[in-house]
Amino acid sequence: QQGMTLFYPPNVGGWPRGRAWISPSTQVLRFNLAGTLLAKTSLTAVATDSWIQQLGDAFGGIAMSDTLRAKLVALGNRTNGQMAVAQVILAGPDYQAQ
């Protein structure tokens, strides 16, 4: 479902790396997969700028602009917002291209 069928790469070079393998159709699948993986996680911290940065660091050092971080802080302070923030980071192109 992620566009990478085991033992069936698109060519002898294998699957594309980085952002080349991200498409709108697979992005939805990855967003849902991130939600499933996080469903049993308990996130209880207050969504502050530093919390967002720590989450990005924990997910492999995701670099975020100040604008994105501010939007994630606003999202994180809503009901179930912290889960949504983690899901957005995990499903985002910066995480997926690692």
Side-chain angles (χ1 to χ4, degrees):
Q1 290 181 350
Q2 299 297 311
M4 300 176 83
T5 305
L6 191 60
F7 303 119
Y8 290 100
N11 58 49
V12 295
W15 289 277
R17 290 188 166 88
R19 294 181 183 271
W21 73 292
I22 300 171
S23 70
S25 61
T26 59
Q27 195 68 19
V28 172
L29 292 169
R30 292 185 184 103
F31 186 80
N32 292 334
L33 175 62
T36 300
L37 293 173
L38 293 167
K40 295 182 180 182
T41 304
S42 176
L43 299 172
T44 59
V46 175
T48 62
D49 189 64
S50 63
W51 180 81
I52 298 291
Q53 189 59 52
Q54 287 175 357
L55 196 60
D57 291 344
F59 290 150
I62 306 300
M64 290 179 255
S65 68
D66 292 338
T67 304
L68 174 60
R69 198 169 21 260
K71 289 179 181 180
L72 292 175
V73 166
L75 174 61
N77 287 310
R78 296 180 182 173
T79 303
N80 295 325
Q82 293 176 340
M83 182 70 72
V85 166
Q87 194 172 3
V88 166
I89 292 173
L90 286 174
D94 292 327
Y95 180 79
Q96 295 295 321
Q98 290 189 35

